[in-house]
Short mmCIF file of all heavy atoms in Angstrom, two decimals:
data_model
loop_
_atom_site.label_atom_id
_atom_site.label_comp_id
_atom_site.label_asym_id
_atom_site.label_seq_id
_atom_site.Cartn_x
_atom_site.Cartn_y
_atom_site.Cartn_z
N MET A 775 -42.39 -31.17 37.75
CA MET A 775 -42.73 -30.01 36.93
C MET A 775 -42.87 -30.43 35.49
O MET A 775 -42.14 -31.30 35.01
CB MET A 775 -41.65 -28.95 37.05
CG MET A 775 -41.43 -28.44 38.46
SD MET A 775 -42.89 -27.61 39.09
CE MET A 775 -42.44 -25.91 38.68
N THR A 776 -43.80 -29.83 34.81
CA THR A 776 -43.98 -30.14 33.38
C THR A 776 -43.29 -29.06 32.55
O THR A 776 -43.36 -27.89 32.86
CB THR A 776 -45.45 -30.19 33.02
OG1 THR A 776 -46.04 -28.97 33.38
CG2 THR A 776 -46.16 -31.32 33.76
N ASP A 777 -42.67 -29.53 31.52
CA ASP A 777 -41.99 -28.58 30.62
C ASP A 777 -42.95 -28.23 29.50
O ASP A 777 -43.10 -28.99 28.56
CB ASP A 777 -40.70 -29.22 30.08
CG ASP A 777 -39.88 -28.20 29.35
OD1 ASP A 777 -40.26 -27.01 29.30
OD2 ASP A 777 -38.86 -28.56 28.82
N GLN A 778 -43.60 -27.12 29.62
CA GLN A 778 -44.56 -26.74 28.62
C GLN A 778 -43.93 -25.95 27.47
O GLN A 778 -44.55 -25.75 26.43
CB GLN A 778 -45.67 -25.89 29.25
CG GLN A 778 -46.41 -26.66 30.32
CD GLN A 778 -47.41 -25.77 31.04
OE1 GLN A 778 -47.32 -24.56 30.99
NE2 GLN A 778 -48.41 -26.38 31.67
N THR A 779 -42.73 -25.57 27.65
CA THR A 779 -42.06 -24.78 26.65
C THR A 779 -41.07 -25.66 25.88
O THR A 779 -40.05 -26.06 26.41
CB THR A 779 -41.31 -23.60 27.26
OG1 THR A 779 -40.47 -24.11 28.28
CG2 THR A 779 -42.29 -22.62 27.84
N THR A 780 -41.47 -26.04 24.72
CA THR A 780 -40.60 -26.86 23.86
C THR A 780 -40.03 -26.00 22.74
O THR A 780 -40.75 -25.68 21.80
CB THR A 780 -41.37 -28.04 23.28
OG1 THR A 780 -42.55 -27.53 22.64
CG2 THR A 780 -41.74 -29.02 24.34
N PRO A 781 -38.80 -25.65 22.89
CA PRO A 781 -38.18 -24.80 21.85
C PRO A 781 -38.10 -25.50 20.51
O PRO A 781 -37.75 -26.68 20.43
CB PRO A 781 -36.79 -24.51 22.38
CG PRO A 781 -36.52 -25.65 23.36
CD PRO A 781 -37.86 -26.06 23.90
N ASP A 782 -38.48 -24.79 19.49
CA ASP A 782 -38.49 -25.35 18.14
C ASP A 782 -37.24 -24.98 17.36
O ASP A 782 -37.08 -25.33 16.23
CB ASP A 782 -39.76 -24.82 17.41
CG ASP A 782 -39.96 -25.57 16.10
OD1 ASP A 782 -39.56 -26.77 16.03
OD2 ASP A 782 -40.45 -24.95 15.15
N ASN A 783 -36.42 -24.24 18.02
CA ASN A 783 -35.22 -23.78 17.32
C ASN A 783 -34.05 -24.73 17.58
O ASN A 783 -33.65 -24.96 18.72
CB ASN A 783 -34.85 -22.35 17.73
CG ASN A 783 -34.63 -22.25 19.22
OD1 ASN A 783 -35.24 -23.01 19.99
ND2 ASN A 783 -33.76 -21.37 19.66
N THR A 784 -33.52 -25.25 16.50
CA THR A 784 -32.32 -26.06 16.65
C THR A 784 -31.07 -25.18 16.64
O THR A 784 -30.00 -25.55 17.05
CB THR A 784 -32.23 -27.05 15.52
OG1 THR A 784 -32.37 -26.40 14.29
CG2 THR A 784 -33.32 -28.12 15.66
N GLN A 785 -31.27 -23.96 16.13
CA GLN A 785 -30.20 -23.01 16.15
C GLN A 785 -30.21 -22.19 17.46
O GLN A 785 -31.27 -21.71 17.84
CB GLN A 785 -30.29 -22.05 14.97
CG GLN A 785 -30.29 -22.78 13.64
CD GLN A 785 -30.54 -21.82 12.49
OE1 GLN A 785 -30.90 -20.68 12.72
NE2 GLN A 785 -30.32 -22.30 11.27
N ALA A 786 -29.10 -22.12 18.09
CA ALA A 786 -29.05 -21.40 19.35
C ALA A 786 -28.78 -19.93 19.13
O ALA A 786 -27.88 -19.30 19.65
CB ALA A 786 -27.96 -21.98 20.22
N THR A 787 -29.66 -19.34 18.29
CA THR A 787 -29.50 -17.93 18.02
C THR A 787 -30.23 -17.07 19.05
O THR A 787 -29.68 -16.14 19.61
CB THR A 787 -30.04 -17.60 16.61
OG1 THR A 787 -31.34 -18.09 16.51
CG2 THR A 787 -29.16 -18.22 15.55
N LYS A 788 -31.46 -17.47 19.30
CA LYS A 788 -32.24 -16.73 20.31
C LYS A 788 -32.35 -17.57 21.58
O LYS A 788 -32.72 -18.75 21.51
CB LYS A 788 -33.66 -16.41 19.79
CG LYS A 788 -33.68 -15.28 18.80
CD LYS A 788 -35.12 -15.03 18.43
CE LYS A 788 -35.24 -13.86 17.45
NZ LYS A 788 -36.64 -13.58 17.09
N PRO A 789 -32.13 -16.94 22.71
CA PRO A 789 -32.35 -17.68 23.94
C PRO A 789 -33.85 -17.77 24.24
O PRO A 789 -34.58 -16.82 23.97
CB PRO A 789 -31.65 -16.80 24.97
CG PRO A 789 -31.64 -15.43 24.42
CD PRO A 789 -31.58 -15.62 22.87
N LEU A 790 -34.30 -18.91 24.70
CA LEU A 790 -35.69 -19.06 25.05
C LEU A 790 -35.93 -18.33 26.36
O LEU A 790 -35.23 -18.55 27.35
CB LEU A 790 -36.00 -20.54 25.23
CG LEU A 790 -37.40 -20.84 25.73
CD1 LEU A 790 -38.44 -20.43 24.72
CD2 LEU A 790 -37.54 -22.34 26.04
N MET A 791 -36.89 -17.44 26.32
CA MET A 791 -37.16 -16.65 27.52
C MET A 791 -38.24 -17.34 28.30
O MET A 791 -39.28 -17.70 27.82
CB MET A 791 -37.58 -15.22 27.13
CG MET A 791 -36.53 -14.50 26.30
SD MET A 791 -34.92 -14.37 27.10
CE MET A 791 -35.34 -13.21 28.43
N VAL A 792 -37.96 -17.47 29.60
CA VAL A 792 -38.95 -18.06 30.48
C VAL A 792 -39.12 -17.17 31.68
O VAL A 792 -38.26 -16.34 31.99
CB VAL A 792 -38.51 -19.47 30.97
CG1 VAL A 792 -38.43 -20.44 29.80
CG2 VAL A 792 -37.20 -19.40 31.68
N ARG A 793 -40.23 -17.36 32.33
CA ARG A 793 -40.51 -16.55 33.53
C ARG A 793 -40.18 -17.35 34.77
O ARG A 793 -40.63 -18.47 34.95
CB ARG A 793 -42.01 -16.18 33.55
CG ARG A 793 -42.35 -15.36 34.80
CD ARG A 793 -43.63 -14.66 34.66
NE ARG A 793 -43.52 -13.55 33.67
CZ ARG A 793 -44.45 -12.68 33.43
NH1 ARG A 793 -45.60 -12.78 34.05
NH2 ARG A 793 -44.27 -11.74 32.54
N CYS A 794 -39.35 -16.74 35.59
CA CYS A 794 -38.97 -17.38 36.82
C CYS A 794 -40.20 -17.61 37.66
O CYS A 794 -40.95 -16.69 37.99
CB CYS A 794 -37.95 -16.51 37.57
SG CYS A 794 -37.57 -17.08 39.23
N PRO A 795 -40.47 -18.86 38.02
CA PRO A 795 -41.70 -19.20 38.78
C PRO A 795 -41.69 -18.55 40.18
O PRO A 795 -42.75 -18.44 40.81
CB PRO A 795 -41.65 -20.69 38.91
CG PRO A 795 -40.73 -21.17 37.82
CD PRO A 795 -39.71 -20.07 37.69
N SER A 796 -40.56 -18.19 40.60
CA SER A 796 -40.44 -17.64 41.98
C SER A 796 -40.65 -16.13 42.04
O SER A 796 -41.53 -15.66 42.74
CB SER A 796 -39.08 -18.04 42.54
OG SER A 796 -39.05 -17.68 43.95
N CYS A 797 -39.86 -15.41 41.26
CA CYS A 797 -39.94 -13.97 41.35
C CYS A 797 -40.66 -13.35 40.15
O CYS A 797 -40.98 -12.18 40.16
CB CYS A 797 -38.52 -13.34 41.46
SG CYS A 797 -37.55 -13.43 39.98
N GLY A 798 -40.93 -14.17 39.12
CA GLY A 798 -41.65 -13.66 37.97
C GLY A 798 -40.81 -12.88 36.98
O GLY A 798 -41.35 -12.38 36.01
N ASP A 799 -39.55 -12.86 37.23
CA ASP A 799 -38.69 -12.14 36.26
C ASP A 799 -38.48 -12.99 35.01
O ASP A 799 -38.54 -14.21 35.05
CB ASP A 799 -37.31 -11.90 36.95
CG ASP A 799 -36.56 -10.82 36.20
OD1 ASP A 799 -37.15 -10.22 35.26
OD2 ASP A 799 -35.44 -10.55 36.57
N THR A 800 -38.30 -12.35 33.90
CA THR A 800 -38.09 -13.04 32.65
C THR A 800 -36.62 -13.21 32.44
O THR A 800 -35.84 -12.25 32.38
CB THR A 800 -38.69 -12.26 31.47
OG1 THR A 800 -40.07 -12.05 31.74
CG2 THR A 800 -38.54 -13.05 30.20
N VAL A 801 -36.25 -14.49 32.28
CA VAL A 801 -34.83 -14.80 32.16
C VAL A 801 -34.64 -15.76 31.01
O VAL A 801 -35.54 -16.53 30.67
CB VAL A 801 -34.28 -15.41 33.47
CG1 VAL A 801 -34.34 -14.42 34.62
CG2 VAL A 801 -35.06 -16.68 33.81
N PRO A 802 -33.48 -15.74 30.37
CA PRO A 802 -33.19 -16.71 29.32
C PRO A 802 -33.08 -18.12 29.87
O PRO A 802 -32.46 -18.32 30.91
CB PRO A 802 -31.87 -16.22 28.73
CG PRO A 802 -31.27 -15.39 29.81
CD PRO A 802 -32.41 -14.80 30.57
N TYR A 803 -33.68 -19.05 29.18
CA TYR A 803 -33.60 -20.46 29.58
C TYR A 803 -32.31 -21.06 29.06
O TYR A 803 -32.16 -21.37 27.91
CB TYR A 803 -34.81 -21.22 29.00
CG TYR A 803 -34.93 -22.63 29.47
CD1 TYR A 803 -35.80 -22.96 30.54
CD2 TYR A 803 -34.24 -23.67 28.87
CE1 TYR A 803 -35.94 -24.25 30.97
CE2 TYR A 803 -34.34 -24.95 29.30
CZ TYR A 803 -35.20 -25.26 30.34
OH TYR A 803 -35.34 -26.54 30.75
N ARG A 804 -31.35 -21.13 29.94
CA ARG A 804 -29.99 -21.57 29.55
C ARG A 804 -29.75 -22.96 30.07
O ARG A 804 -30.00 -23.26 31.24
CB ARG A 804 -28.97 -20.60 30.08
CG ARG A 804 -29.08 -19.21 29.53
CD ARG A 804 -28.16 -18.29 30.29
NE ARG A 804 -26.75 -18.70 30.21
CZ ARG A 804 -25.92 -18.34 29.25
NH1 ARG A 804 -26.30 -17.49 28.31
NH2 ARG A 804 -24.69 -18.81 29.23
N LEU A 805 -29.24 -23.80 29.20
CA LEU A 805 -28.94 -25.19 29.62
C LEU A 805 -27.81 -25.20 30.63
O LEU A 805 -27.69 -26.15 31.38
CB LEU A 805 -28.58 -26.02 28.39
CG LEU A 805 -29.76 -26.25 27.40
CD1 LEU A 805 -29.27 -27.10 26.25
CD2 LEU A 805 -30.89 -26.95 28.12
N ASP A 806 -27.02 -24.18 30.61
CA ASP A 806 -25.93 -24.16 31.56
C ASP A 806 -26.33 -23.46 32.88
O ASP A 806 -25.49 -23.26 33.76
CB ASP A 806 -24.69 -23.47 30.95
CG ASP A 806 -24.96 -22.05 30.53
OD1 ASP A 806 -26.16 -21.66 30.58
OD2 ASP A 806 -24.04 -21.36 30.16
N ASN A 807 -27.58 -23.18 33.00
CA ASN A 807 -28.05 -22.62 34.23
C ASN A 807 -28.62 -23.75 35.10
O ASN A 807 -29.71 -24.27 34.80
CB ASN A 807 -29.15 -21.56 33.97
CG ASN A 807 -29.77 -21.06 35.25
OD1 ASN A 807 -29.25 -21.30 36.34
ND2 ASN A 807 -30.88 -20.40 35.16
N PRO A 808 -27.95 -24.11 36.14
CA PRO A 808 -28.39 -25.28 36.95
C PRO A 808 -29.69 -24.96 37.71
O PRO A 808 -30.31 -25.87 38.27
CB PRO A 808 -27.24 -25.48 37.93
CG PRO A 808 -26.53 -24.16 37.99
CD PRO A 808 -26.70 -23.52 36.64
N TYR A 809 -30.07 -23.70 37.70
CA TYR A 809 -31.27 -23.29 38.47
C TYR A 809 -32.46 -23.07 37.60
O TYR A 809 -33.52 -22.64 38.08
CB TYR A 809 -30.95 -22.04 39.28
CG TYR A 809 -29.64 -22.10 39.98
CD1 TYR A 809 -28.62 -21.24 39.66
CD2 TYR A 809 -29.43 -23.10 40.96
CE1 TYR A 809 -27.39 -21.32 40.29
CE2 TYR A 809 -28.23 -23.21 41.56
CZ TYR A 809 -27.21 -22.32 41.26
OH TYR A 809 -26.02 -22.40 41.90
N ARG A 810 -32.37 -23.37 36.30
CA ARG A 810 -33.47 -23.18 35.42
C ARG A 810 -34.68 -24.02 35.87
O ARG A 810 -34.53 -25.11 36.37
CB ARG A 810 -33.06 -23.55 33.97
CG ARG A 810 -32.77 -25.03 33.82
CD ARG A 810 -32.29 -25.35 32.41
NE ARG A 810 -32.13 -26.75 32.21
CZ ARG A 810 -31.03 -27.41 32.51
NH1 ARG A 810 -29.98 -26.77 33.00
NH2 ARG A 810 -30.92 -28.73 32.33
N PRO A 811 -35.90 -23.59 35.69
CA PRO A 811 -36.23 -22.32 34.95
C PRO A 811 -36.16 -21.12 35.89
O PRO A 811 -36.66 -20.05 35.52
CB PRO A 811 -37.64 -22.59 34.54
CG PRO A 811 -38.24 -23.43 35.60
CD PRO A 811 -37.10 -24.29 36.10
N PHE A 812 -35.58 -21.26 37.03
CA PHE A 812 -35.46 -20.12 37.92
C PHE A 812 -34.31 -19.23 37.48
O PHE A 812 -33.40 -19.69 36.74
CB PHE A 812 -35.24 -20.58 39.33
CG PHE A 812 -36.34 -21.48 39.85
CD1 PHE A 812 -36.25 -22.85 39.71
CD2 PHE A 812 -37.50 -20.93 40.42
CE1 PHE A 812 -37.27 -23.68 40.17
CE2 PHE A 812 -38.52 -21.76 40.84
CZ PHE A 812 -38.39 -23.12 40.74
N CYS A 813 -34.35 -18.01 37.93
CA CYS A 813 -33.36 -17.05 37.50
C CYS A 813 -32.06 -17.19 38.33
O CYS A 813 -30.99 -16.81 37.91
CB CYS A 813 -33.88 -15.63 37.56
SG CYS A 813 -34.17 -15.04 39.25
N SER A 814 -32.23 -17.74 39.47
CA SER A 814 -31.04 -17.81 40.36
C SER A 814 -31.21 -18.91 41.41
O SER A 814 -32.28 -19.50 41.55
CB SER A 814 -30.85 -16.46 41.07
OG SER A 814 -31.93 -16.25 41.95
N LYS A 815 -30.13 -19.19 42.06
CA LYS A 815 -30.15 -20.19 43.12
C LYS A 815 -31.13 -19.78 44.22
O LYS A 815 -31.83 -20.61 44.79
CB LYS A 815 -28.73 -20.38 43.68
CG LYS A 815 -28.65 -21.44 44.77
CD LYS A 815 -27.20 -21.61 45.25
CE LYS A 815 -27.09 -22.70 46.25
NZ LYS A 815 -25.68 -22.86 46.73
N GLY A 816 -31.15 -18.50 44.50
CA GLY A 816 -32.02 -18.03 45.55
C GLY A 816 -33.50 -18.32 45.28
O GLY A 816 -34.25 -18.76 46.13
N CYS A 817 -33.91 -18.04 44.02
CA CYS A 817 -35.30 -18.27 43.64
C CYS A 817 -35.64 -19.77 43.70
O CYS A 817 -36.72 -20.16 44.09
CB CYS A 817 -35.55 -17.68 42.27
SG CYS A 817 -35.87 -15.91 42.32
N LYS A 818 -34.73 -20.60 43.29
CA LYS A 818 -35.00 -22.01 43.32
C LYS A 818 -35.12 -22.48 44.77
O LYS A 818 -35.95 -23.32 45.08
CB LYS A 818 -33.87 -22.78 42.59
CG LYS A 818 -34.13 -24.25 42.57
CD LYS A 818 -33.25 -24.96 41.56
CE LYS A 818 -33.66 -26.43 41.42
NZ LYS A 818 -32.99 -27.11 40.29
N ALA A 819 -34.27 -21.97 45.62
CA ALA A 819 -34.33 -22.36 47.01
C ALA A 819 -35.64 -21.92 47.63
O ALA A 819 -36.23 -22.66 48.40
CB ALA A 819 -33.16 -21.70 47.75
N ILE A 820 -36.11 -20.74 47.26
CA ILE A 820 -37.42 -20.26 47.78
C ILE A 820 -38.51 -21.18 47.33
O ILE A 820 -39.34 -21.57 48.12
CB ILE A 820 -37.67 -18.84 47.25
CG1 ILE A 820 -36.69 -17.89 47.89
CG2 ILE A 820 -39.13 -18.43 47.57
CD1 ILE A 820 -36.79 -16.44 47.31
N ASP A 821 -38.50 -21.57 46.06
CA ASP A 821 -39.57 -22.43 45.55
C ASP A 821 -39.53 -23.80 46.20
O ASP A 821 -40.53 -24.38 46.58
CB ASP A 821 -39.39 -22.57 44.03
CG ASP A 821 -40.62 -23.27 43.43
OD1 ASP A 821 -41.63 -22.63 43.31
OD2 ASP A 821 -40.54 -24.44 43.11
N LEU A 822 -38.31 -24.31 46.35
CA LEU A 822 -38.18 -25.65 46.98
C LEU A 822 -38.68 -25.59 48.43
O LEU A 822 -39.26 -26.53 48.93
CB LEU A 822 -36.72 -26.08 46.89
CG LEU A 822 -36.25 -26.58 45.51
CD1 LEU A 822 -34.77 -26.87 45.56
CD2 LEU A 822 -37.04 -27.82 45.10
N GLY A 823 -38.37 -24.49 49.04
CA GLY A 823 -38.75 -24.33 50.45
C GLY A 823 -40.27 -24.33 50.55
O GLY A 823 -40.83 -24.97 51.44
N ALA A 824 -40.94 -23.62 49.69
CA ALA A 824 -42.41 -23.56 49.70
C ALA A 824 -43.01 -24.92 49.37
O ALA A 824 -43.95 -25.36 50.04
CB ALA A 824 -42.91 -22.56 48.69
N TRP A 825 -42.41 -25.57 48.43
CA TRP A 825 -42.87 -26.89 48.04
C TRP A 825 -42.71 -27.91 49.20
O TRP A 825 -43.61 -28.65 49.52
CB TRP A 825 -42.07 -27.37 46.82
CG TRP A 825 -42.26 -28.82 46.47
CD1 TRP A 825 -43.30 -29.36 45.79
CD2 TRP A 825 -41.38 -29.91 46.77
NE1 TRP A 825 -43.13 -30.73 45.65
CE2 TRP A 825 -41.98 -31.07 46.23
CE3 TRP A 825 -40.16 -30.01 47.42
CZ2 TRP A 825 -41.38 -32.33 46.37
CZ3 TRP A 825 -39.57 -31.28 47.56
CH2 TRP A 825 -40.16 -32.38 47.03
N ALA A 826 -41.56 -27.86 49.81
CA ALA A 826 -41.27 -28.77 50.90
C ALA A 826 -42.21 -28.53 52.07
O ALA A 826 -42.75 -29.46 52.69
CB ALA A 826 -39.82 -28.65 51.35
N SER A 827 -42.46 -27.27 52.38
CA SER A 827 -43.29 -26.96 53.52
C SER A 827 -44.70 -27.39 53.28
O SER A 827 -45.43 -27.74 54.22
CB SER A 827 -43.21 -25.48 53.83
OG SER A 827 -43.72 -24.70 52.75
N GLU A 828 -45.16 -27.34 52.01
CA GLU A 828 -46.52 -27.72 51.71
C GLU A 828 -46.68 -29.25 51.66
O GLU A 828 -47.67 -29.80 52.13
CB GLU A 828 -46.94 -27.16 50.35
CG GLU A 828 -47.14 -25.66 50.42
CD GLU A 828 -47.61 -25.11 49.09
OE1 GLU A 828 -47.94 -25.95 48.22
OE2 GLU A 828 -47.64 -23.87 48.94
N GLU A 829 -45.70 -29.90 51.06
CA GLU A 829 -45.84 -31.31 50.84
C GLU A 829 -45.44 -32.18 52.04
O GLU A 829 -46.01 -33.20 52.34
CB GLU A 829 -45.03 -31.70 49.61
CG GLU A 829 -45.54 -31.06 48.34
CD GLU A 829 -46.94 -31.59 47.99
OE1 GLU A 829 -47.25 -32.73 48.29
OE2 GLU A 829 -47.68 -30.81 47.39
N TYR A 830 -44.42 -31.72 52.71
CA TYR A 830 -43.85 -32.59 53.70
C TYR A 830 -43.89 -31.96 55.11
O TYR A 830 -43.88 -32.65 56.09
CB TYR A 830 -42.40 -32.91 53.34
CG TYR A 830 -42.31 -33.76 52.11
CD1 TYR A 830 -41.99 -33.17 50.89
CD2 TYR A 830 -42.59 -35.13 52.18
CE1 TYR A 830 -41.95 -33.94 49.73
CE2 TYR A 830 -42.57 -35.90 50.99
CZ TYR A 830 -42.24 -35.30 49.79
OH TYR A 830 -42.17 -36.07 48.67
N ARG A 831 -43.89 -30.67 55.15
CA ARG A 831 -43.87 -29.98 56.42
C ARG A 831 -42.73 -30.48 57.31
O ARG A 831 -42.94 -30.88 58.46
CB ARG A 831 -45.21 -30.15 57.13
CG ARG A 831 -46.36 -29.59 56.33
CD ARG A 831 -47.69 -29.72 57.08
NE ARG A 831 -48.76 -29.18 56.27
CZ ARG A 831 -49.06 -27.88 56.18
NH1 ARG A 831 -48.34 -27.01 56.86
NH2 ARG A 831 -50.07 -27.46 55.45
N VAL A 832 -41.61 -30.51 56.75
CA VAL A 832 -40.45 -30.89 57.50
C VAL A 832 -39.65 -29.65 57.91
O VAL A 832 -39.75 -28.61 57.28
CB VAL A 832 -39.54 -31.88 56.72
CG1 VAL A 832 -40.24 -33.20 56.51
CG2 VAL A 832 -39.15 -31.21 55.41
N GLU A 833 -38.89 -29.79 58.93
CA GLU A 833 -38.10 -28.67 59.38
C GLU A 833 -36.75 -28.61 58.66
O GLU A 833 -36.24 -27.53 58.40
CB GLU A 833 -37.85 -28.76 60.88
CG GLU A 833 -39.17 -28.76 61.66
CD GLU A 833 -38.97 -28.17 63.05
OE1 GLU A 833 -37.89 -27.70 63.37
OE2 GLU A 833 -39.94 -28.27 63.84
N ALA A 834 -36.26 -29.76 58.32
CA ALA A 834 -35.00 -29.79 57.59
C ALA A 834 -35.24 -29.46 56.13
O ALA A 834 -36.12 -30.02 55.50
CB ALA A 834 -34.37 -31.17 57.72
N LYS A 835 -34.48 -28.51 55.62
CA LYS A 835 -34.64 -28.16 54.24
C LYS A 835 -33.91 -29.14 53.33
O LYS A 835 -32.84 -29.63 53.67
CB LYS A 835 -34.05 -26.75 53.98
CG LYS A 835 -34.84 -25.68 54.66
CD LYS A 835 -34.27 -24.31 54.35
CE LYS A 835 -35.08 -23.21 54.98
NZ LYS A 835 -34.53 -21.91 54.68
N PRO A 836 -34.53 -29.49 52.20
CA PRO A 836 -33.87 -30.39 51.25
C PRO A 836 -32.69 -29.71 50.62
O PRO A 836 -32.65 -28.49 50.48
CB PRO A 836 -34.97 -30.68 50.20
CG PRO A 836 -35.86 -29.45 50.26
CD PRO A 836 -35.84 -29.00 51.71
N ASN A 837 -31.73 -30.51 50.29
CA ASN A 837 -30.55 -29.99 49.62
C ASN A 837 -30.85 -29.85 48.14
O ASN A 837 -31.06 -30.82 47.45
CB ASN A 837 -29.39 -30.92 49.85
CG ASN A 837 -28.10 -30.37 49.25
OD1 ASN A 837 -28.11 -29.29 48.65
ND2 ASN A 837 -27.03 -31.11 49.41
N PRO A 838 -30.86 -28.64 47.65
CA PRO A 838 -31.19 -28.38 46.20
C PRO A 838 -30.24 -29.17 45.29
O PRO A 838 -30.63 -29.54 44.19
CB PRO A 838 -30.98 -26.89 46.05
CG PRO A 838 -31.14 -26.33 47.41
CD PRO A 838 -30.62 -27.38 48.32
N GLU A 839 -29.05 -29.44 45.77
CA GLU A 839 -28.08 -30.13 44.89
C GLU A 839 -28.56 -31.55 44.61
O GLU A 839 -28.22 -32.12 43.60
CB GLU A 839 -26.73 -30.17 45.57
CG GLU A 839 -26.17 -28.79 45.88
CD GLU A 839 -25.86 -28.02 44.65
OE1 GLU A 839 -25.56 -28.62 43.62
OE2 GLU A 839 -25.95 -26.78 44.67
N ASP A 840 -29.35 -32.08 45.50
CA ASP A 840 -29.79 -33.47 45.33
C ASP A 840 -30.92 -33.56 44.26
O ASP A 840 -31.19 -34.64 43.79
CB ASP A 840 -30.32 -34.02 46.65
CG ASP A 840 -29.24 -34.21 47.64
OD1 ASP A 840 -28.06 -34.33 47.25
OD2 ASP A 840 -29.52 -34.17 48.86
N LEU A 841 -31.52 -32.43 43.94
CA LEU A 841 -32.66 -32.47 43.05
C LEU A 841 -32.27 -32.02 41.62
O LEU A 841 -33.11 -32.00 40.77
CB LEU A 841 -33.74 -31.53 43.56
CG LEU A 841 -34.25 -31.92 44.95
CD1 LEU A 841 -35.24 -30.89 45.43
CD2 LEU A 841 -34.93 -33.29 44.88
N ILE A 842 -31.00 -31.76 41.44
CA ILE A 842 -30.56 -31.34 40.10
C ILE A 842 -30.22 -32.56 39.28
O ILE A 842 -29.56 -33.47 39.73
CB ILE A 842 -29.32 -30.44 40.20
CG1 ILE A 842 -29.75 -29.12 40.91
CG2 ILE A 842 -28.78 -30.13 38.83
CD1 ILE A 842 -28.60 -28.19 41.15
N GLY A 843 -30.69 -32.58 38.04
CA GLY A 843 -30.31 -33.63 37.15
C GLY A 843 -31.30 -34.78 37.22
O GLY A 843 -31.04 -35.82 36.72
ZN1 ZN B 1158 -36.31 -15.42 40.15
#
């Protein structure tokens, strides 16, 4: 994934708002959110599932924890 949103604020006054690629909801881009830029674990799992099914067509789902960091 490419990070097209480069925050210019060094002050953490305003949270950077991003749109969840999965459900389209607007959520604050928080560094302490392990599911960013998704709004939740569920949305990230959905996206990973779609990605995996398109790219690999495997039956076993990837472990999202392995892709963090
Ligand atoms: Zn979402």
Side-chain angles (χ1 to χ4, degrees):
M775 300 296 265
T776 57
D777 189 4
Q778 298 176 339
T779 53
T780 52
D782 190 31
N783 57 330
T784 52
Q785 302 174 348
T787 52
K788 284 185 179 179
L790 175 65
M791 301 303 290
V792 295
R793 178 163 291 186
C794 173
S796 187
C797 72
D799 198 5
T800 303
V801 295
Y803 187 97
R804 297 170 58 89
L805 293 180
D806 59 352
N807 174 14
Y809 313 117
R810 66 184 185 274
F812 301 93
C813 67
S814 66
K815 182 178 182 179
C817 278
K818 182 164 187 171
I820 291 173
D821 190 76
L822 284 175
W825 168 80
S827 63
E828 288 183 9
E829 296 294 330
Y830 294 101
R831 300 184 181 278
V832 292
E833 298 207 8
K835 292 183 178 179
N837 184 358
E839 301 295 330
D840 291 338
L841 299 175
I842 295 176

